[in-house]
Every structure is written in C-alpha cells, then in structure tokens.
Amino acid sequence: AIKHNPDAEAYYRSLATLELSRIALLLRDNKTDPKILQTEFKNILDSAVLAAKQAIAINPNNYLNYITLGQIYESLVPLKVAGSYEMALEQYKQAQKLNPTNPGISFNFARLEMINGKNFSARDYLNKSLSQKPNFSSALLILAQMDAQDGKLADAIKKTSEAVSLFPNDAGGFFQLGVYLYQFGDYNQAILALNRVLDLSPNRLTANAQ
C-alpha cells in the first residue's frame, strides 16, 4: 500500500502499529537464540520508529502520528531502555498540543506514568481524562484497580460498577467487579457479576469466572 501511495500517513501508522505487535510477540519468544532475537528486535524497532517518523514528516499536524511514535517508545519503558520514558512523554506532549481536550491522550499519559511506576501522577491523568469524557470506562476501570491495590475495595467496586453500567457487555469489567466483590466478602453479588461473565464471554475469562 505504501509503495502505491507513499504519501498516505495512515499507511505508515498502520505499519508502525504492526511492527509494535511484532515486538510484543518477539518479547514472548523464549525458544529462539537470544542473540538472534536481539538482532531481530532492533530491526523491527527501527522499522517501527522509521514508519512513525515518516507519518509525522508527511503530516506534522496530525496528533495521531505522535501518539503512534509515543506508543513505540512507551513499549520500551518496561525494558528499561534509556531515554524511552522521556521520548514517549515528549511525543504525547506534542499530541496534546495539537488536540488538548482529547481524553485518550490524557489516558496515554496515565498509562505511561503507571508503567514508569508513578501511580500518583497516573491517577491525576486518569481523573483528567474523566473530566474530559465522564463515560470513559477504561479510565474508571484502571482507577478501580488502583483503589483495590490501595485496599479501598468499596471505592473500587463503586467505580467498576459505574464502568459496567456504561458498557453492560464488557465481560472484562464484570470479571473485575466479581473479583472485587469476592474480596470484599459480598459473595451473592460476586456470583451475579461472574455469571454475567459466563453469559458474555466465550474466551478464557469463562474459565476464570467459573
């Protein structure tokens, strides 16, 4: 597609995203020689960065291009790659300049802060994303996870209940709610939430809920 239309920024974003998925698969490979994996990792990473930068070069005014590059750098933060956090942060800041009221960008900041172990600032970004989009269920669910980690199960249950009320077909949300209710000791409500998972989900969540 890029060969036929080399000025289509969306194609470069798609290529960068595809390469990012290949990196994720590579990181789960524990059978191939590590030296071979290291070389392949560098090649795929270089390809992903190059594609995202090309999208930016074609259209420096589209915030999505900076988001794509930021996500590539973000994927390197758990690997402790020097400078990856700062580079991801810079790309998200550029995206925010172009689209300052977008709740998804605030969510990206939050995810980056969490990966970098800064839950306090991540919570601020999540709350900001909710102020921009009150029905942002993903933000509610992550805030609920933070509450649960802090031992605030009642708050976690409240936020998760709100999230699943917004999206009643979200099996993952109901599973999360069922776990919190179980931990809280409200077994009857936990059963109802987990049964909802069984109704909705044909995948691995079914086994976990059972």
Side-chain angles (χ1 to χ4, degrees):
I2 289 171
K3 181 179 178 180
H4 289 293
N5 192 351
D7 295 325
E9 58 183 296
Y11 295 168
Y12 286 99
R13 286 201 307 272
S14 295
L15 177 59
T17 302
L18 177 62
E19 298 291 51
L20 191 57
S21 298
R22 292 179 65 202
I23 289 173
L25 289 173
L26 201 66
L27 292 174
R28 293 199 290 268
D29 187 341
N30 56 9
K31 297 179 181 179
T32 307
D33 186 320
K35 291 183 179 179
I36 296 175
L37 286 176
Q38 187 174 11
T39 300
E40 191 172 356
F41 176 87
K42 184 181 185 305
N43 291 337
I44 296 173
L45 176 61
D46 288 346
S47 175
V49 171
L50 183 63
K53 286 185 175 180
Q54 184 61 32
I56 293 172
I58 292 170
N59 186 358
N61 296 315
N62 188 342
Y63 78 97
L64 290 173
N65 295 332
Y66 297 97
I67 290 292
T68 301
L69 184 56
Q71 288 173 340
I72 294 168
Y73 290 135
E74 180 187 319
S75 72
L76 304 178
V77 176
L79 304 178
K80 309 297 183 184
V81 175
S84 56
Y85 167 80
E86 290 78 11
M87 289 187 289
L89 190 65
E90 179 58 30
Q91 299 309 313
Y92 291 153
K93 285 180 178 179
Q94 290 295 330
Q96 191 175 52
K97 286 179 183 178
L98 294 168
N99 197 342
T101 61
N102 189 306
I105 298 175
S106 298
F107 188 80
N108 283 332
F109 276 117
R111 190 179 58 233
L112 178 63
E113 294 300 282
M114 287 177 64
I115 293 172
N116 203 39
K118 299 178 179 180
N119 280 3
F120 185 81
S121 55
R123 187 182 284 273
D124 288 341
Y125 281 119
L126 289 169
N127 285 322
K128 182 178 180 180
S129 70
L130 283 170
S131 69
Q132 294 167 323
K133 182 182 178 183
N135 65 342
F136 200 164
S137 63
S138 296
L140 282 168
L141 291 172
I142 293 183
L143 281 170
Q145 290 174 7
M146 290 182 172
D147 287 339
Q149 291 169 0
D150 292 339
K152 301 175 181 177
L153 280 174
D155 291 339
I157 290 168
K158 181 180 178 180
K159 289 184 177 70
T160 311
S161 297
E162 185 178 347
V164 297
S165 71
L166 292 168
F167 293 92
N169 293 322
D170 181 6
F174 276 103
F175 181 77
Q176 188 170 320
L177 178 60
V179 170
Y180 296 153
L181 288 165
Y182 170 77
Q183 293 173 338
F184 195 65
D186 192 343
Y187 302 126
N188 290 329
Q189 290 300 314
I191 289 171
L192 292 176
L194 294 172
N195 273 328
R196 182 64 178 154
V197 178
L198 301 183
D199 293 339
L200 291 169
S201 177
N203 59 26
R204 62 180 178 80
L205 279 178
T206 300
N208 292 339
Q210 288 174 337

